[in-house]
Amino acid sequence: MTAHEDEEGQGKKVSQATRLIQLADDLVDVVAGTDGRAYATARTGAARHIAFPLKGQRGLRARLARFYADVCGSVPSQSALTDVTAVLEGRAMDLEPRPVALRLASHQGRVVLDLGGADGRCVIAGPDGWHVTTDSPVLFRRTGLTSPIPAPGEAGRTEAGIAKLRSLLNVDEPGLRLLVGWLVSGLIADMPHPILAARGEQGTGKSTALAMLMNLIDPSPAPLRSLPKDQKAWATTAAASWAVCLDNVSTIAPWLSDTLCKAVTGEGVVDRALYSDDDVTVLSFRRLLAMTSIDTGALASDLTERLLPVEFLPIKRDQRRTDASLQQAYQDAAPDILAALLDLLCQILAELPHTHLDELPRMADFARVLGALDRVTGWSTLDTYLAATEVTTSDLLDARPFTAAVAAMVEEAGEFTGTIGQLIEVVPAPEPRPKSWPVDATRAAGQLKRDAPVLRAVGITVEEAGRSRDRHRSRLYRIALTSGVETAPLQRPHLARPTEVGDEEDGHVFSAHATTPDPTKPASAPVTEQNACSEAAADTAGAADAAAAQLSNDTAPEPVESGTCRTCHRTFRRYQGGTGYGDQCASCALGAPPPSTSPG
């Protein structure tokens, strides 16, 4: 007889940890989530597809303590609960990870929406319709911000549901249809969604309206949130709910702008694990975002491209309602509105495979959803969305003084090619200098790269144009109007010099858009991707070529004839005895600096 058997025979008490393990084995199954966390699911009951964490107020640890007290009549010790939790986490490490969704998930071409109730019901929607069931094919997790969704109303009453939504919102018809498109897209988990930007003057009901919209698909005790103070606070808040609305946004810090952009497409926040030195935790999520503001000020261009602006209208005095009556109207209408959104969702899922757009904007998936919505409803939400993004781009350009000045210069001159330093000289800073005006070439280059999509939207391209041919080998940029033939990178700095009509230099007249050749000289070929010479440099009289000859022969010989540069196809003066450049102008052959490009 072993010592252990002898101890059992003598009636040794079973430890609390052992009883807790036995209780856990009877009640739950352990699940390893793809997010790196361990979860537990009930073995029986309607809520068996709800995964809850092992720790925390809503976790398995608290439930085991309650069950133990009910069964054994005593409270388990904290050390026993800690030991059991460690054992279950160890078991989860050996399991194949499974996806654990929050509120919304995609499964085999269908959408699964967790209604958040204790009965574990969910909605499954597909191209052939939707229905409510307790048999979810997806595991869901819930947090302290997960509230129940009222059961949707009767299917097939789309128009009635949209009419009830219209009665709750203070927007025009195009704005209402954009909101419907955004809400329907918010029921599709595996796609980026634009950030709904509710704008309007004070008292237009923006906050109340967005709280209702958030609660339609992801009810929460706090549907509206204040701006987070740092990235960690944002990650904690955003990881706990599918839909997040920031209320009364006045300014957006650069770090928050980048974070919001990442949350649209999918973001991972890495932090040190609690009570560890070498382990990390990862919060990865894609969210449905919205915000209310009167004026957010200047926004980064990448954030602006991800916005869906909707203007809310002033409320007339005779149309105002008390908050209690408005909330009651929302509660009465919410089931029918949700049913209408689900109806449209099913029709869009059936139509999406046949929806193809000739051109896709930045938020391409959302644009396709709007295109499918237009096909099933006869609306024109896609055109409204594209027009709204153009207005937003114009507003952004007005808020970026340097970028706006560059755009104005190029619209007048037609093209600029040169270094960023030369660009700063051509576009002098106004007085007083705006705070956002770049103080050096590095910051100017960074601002141009960030705002390149905005310039492209107004018909101006920004592209790298190789390196200069002088000893500095500076990086060149080409900024030009998009109309006309695209050109490949040029090799010499060039600016189509904007001057007054009649301003002449060495027999050549400069216009505001392009260099006009002298009619007495042979017609020159247009600037193409093989043209490695600046027109302005090639048109310079004598100075550059004489300098080049001086570099070759230590003398400055007299010009004897004119020739056509084989590189830039411009007319230049050939010098007696000049060697090293033959049938090239001096600027192309030796990389002589260009003439002054200052306007006027």
Side-chain angles (χ1 to χ4, degrees):
M1 179 180 295
T2 64
H4 177 69
E5 291 174 344
D6 183 62
E7 290 175 354
E8 285 187 345
Q10 296 176 6
K12 180 181 177 181
K13 289 184 61 177
V14 179
S15 66
Q16 289 184 343
T18 302
R19 290 187 177 183
L20 286 170
I21 283 289
Q22 295 172 348
L23 190 60
D25 291 340
D26 293 338
L27 296 176
V28 300
D29 291 319
V30 180
V31 176
T34 53
D35 56 1
R37 299 180 179 184
Y39 296 91
T41 59
R43 288 195 165 186
T44 60
R48 59 186 178 277
H49 65 278
I50 304 301
F52 45 90
L54 301 186
K55 303 175 183 177
Q57 295 180 352
R58 297 174 176 269
L60 177 63
R61 179 176 174 134
R63 301 187 185 201
L64 284 179
R66 188 195 70 186
F67 287 138
Y68 186 91
D70 293 342
V71 173
C72 302
S74 61
V75 178
S77 65
Q78 293 298 318
S79 62
L81 290 170
T82 301
D83 293 342
V84 171
T85 303
V87 171
L88 296 178
E89 288 178 339
R91 290 180 181 178
M93 294 174 60
D94 296 332
L95 301 176
E96 189 71 21
R98 296 177 58 184
V100 180
L102 177 65
R103 183 65 81 178
L104 195 68
S106 296
H107 179 73
Q108 297 180 355
R110 297 176 178 272
V111 171
V112 185
L113 175 66
D114 177 25
L115 294 180
D119 54 6
R121 293 197 300 171
C122 66
V123 175
I124 300 180
D128 54 350
W130 61 270
H131 64 280
V132 179
T133 180
T134 57
D135 188 15
S136 171
V138 179
L139 287 180
F140 286 102
R141 66 181 179 93
R142 295 174 179 176
T143 71
L145 295 177
T146 304
S147 296
I149 300 178
E154 183 181 351
R157 302 181 58 199
T158 307
E159 289 295 333
I162 299 302
K164 291 185 177 181
L165 179 63
R166 183 183 293 108
S167 66
L168 296 174
L169 302 178
N170 192 40
V171 295
D172 57 15
E173 189 63 23
L176 171 72
R177 295 175 179 181
L178 273 181
L179 291 176
V180 171
W182 182 79
L183 287 170
V184 174
S185 72
L187 294 172
I188 305 176
D190 53 353
M191 61 167 281
H193 307 83
I195 303 173
L196 175 61
R199 298 175 176 177
E201 63 185 55
Q202 185 177 1
T204 54
K206 303 182 299 296
S207 299
T208 302
L210 258 64
M212 292 187 294
L213 296 181
M214 294 290 104
N215 285 332
L216 277 174
I217 54 181
D218 188 21
S220 168
L224 304 180
R225 324 275 172 84
S226 57
L227 286 177
K229 62 180 181 179
D230 53 36
Q231 187 176 16
K232 190 171 183 179
W234 158 257
T236 302
T237 301
S241 57
W242 162 244
V244 180
C245 180
L246 302 178
D247 193 25
N248 292 327
V249 177
S250 56
T251 58
I252 297 180
W255 72 265
L256 181 58
S257 176
D258 295 339
T259 300
L260 292 176
C261 292
K262 294 176 183 178
V264 169
T265 54
E267 175 190 23
V269 178
V270 181
D271 193 14
R272 183 178 66 87
L274 190 63
Y275 305 123
S276 69
D277 296 326
D278 57 352
D279 198 6
V280 296
T281 59
V282 180
L283 292 176
S284 179
F285 49 77
R286 171 185 286 161
R287 291 294 175 262
L288 181 67
L289 303 176
M291 64 182 182
T292 69
S293 67
I294 296 177
D295 179 19
T296 55
L299 299 178
S301 57
D302 53 351
L303 178 61
T304 302
E305 288 188 330
R306 292 172 169 85
L307 289 183
L308 174 64
V310 175
E311 195 75 18
F312 279 71
L313 305 176
I315 303 176
K316 298 179 180 179
R317 291 177 178 268
D318 58 348
Q319 294 178 340
R320 291 191 177 276
R321 291 184 281 182
T322 63
D323 184 71
S325 64
L326 188 60
Q327 292 301 323
Q328 185 61 51
Y330 165 74
Q331 293 176 9
D332 295 339
D336 291 334
I337 296 175
L338 179 58
L341 296 177
L342 292 172
D343 289 342
L344 290 175
L345 172 65
C346 295
Q347 298 176 56
I348 288 174
L349 291 177
E351 191 65 38
L352 271 178
H354 313 292
T355 302
H356 305 284
L357 306 181
D358 295 335
E359 295 184 5
L360 292 174
R362 179 67 176 268
M363 303 301 296
D365 297 273
F366 179 68
R368 289 189 67 238
V369 169
L370 293 185
L373 176 65
D374 291 344
R375 290 170 65 97
V376 301
T377 60
W379 295 348
S380 57
T381 53
L382 180 57
D383 293 338
T384 305
Y385 169 63
L386 296 178
T389 56
E390 290 178 0
V391 173
T392 303
T393 299
S394 300
D395 295 342
L396 175 63
L397 190 60
D398 292 339
R400 310 285 280 190
F402 178 72
T403 306
V406 171
M409 181 270 294
V410 173
E411 287 175 353
E412 182 179 359
E415 178 180 330
F416 167 88
T417 303
T419 66
I420 295 296
Q422 292 169 336
L423 178 65
I424 294 178
E425 294 178 359
V426 173
V427 186
E431 293 296 339
R433 182 194 296 266
K435 292 183 179 180
S436 61
W437 195 275
V439 296
D440 53 35
T442 301
R443 290 174 174 82
Q447 190 170 131
L448 276 181
K449 289 181 179 179
R450 287 191 299 270
D451 293 344
V454 181
L455 291 171
R456 191 180 306 115
V458 296
I460 297 175
T461 58
V462 179
E463 58 189 7
E464 293 188 5
R467 297 276 182 174
S468 63
R469 298 186 61 182
D470 57 17
R471 62 185 180 85
H472 298 290
R473 304 295 294 168
S474 301
R475 187 182 300 277
L476 305 179
Y477 290 87
R478 179 177 180 268
I479 310 173
L481 299 175
T482 55
S483 58
V485 180
E486 278 192 343
T487 62
L490 304 179
Q491 298 299 316
R492 292 292 304 146
H494 164 67
L495 169 67
R497 180 183 173 197
T499 63
E500 297 295 332
V501 175
D503 184 11
E504 298 186 6
E505 183 172 330
D506 191 38
H508 292 263
V509 181
F510 291 86
S511 70
H513 296 281
T515 303
T516 303
D518 192 325
T520 63
K521 297 186 178 182
S524 59
V527 179
T528 63
E529 57 185 349
Q530 287 79 28
N531 185 349
C533 173
S534 161
E535 293 179 9
D539 287 338
T540 303
D545 294 273
Q550 181 69 30
L551 292 173
S552 300
N553 297 332
D554 295 326
T555 61
E558 293 294 327
V560 296
E561 62 178 349
S562 296
T564 301
C565 177
R566 64 177 172 82
T567 303
C568 68
H569 306 291
R570 301 292 301 183
T571 301
F572 71 101
R573 292 180 176 85
R574 192 186 303 279
Y575 287 87
Q576 178 66 36
T579 60
Y581 58 91
D583 57 351
Q584 282 184 299
C585 68
S587 297
C588 288
L590 298 178
S596 173
T597 56
S598 300

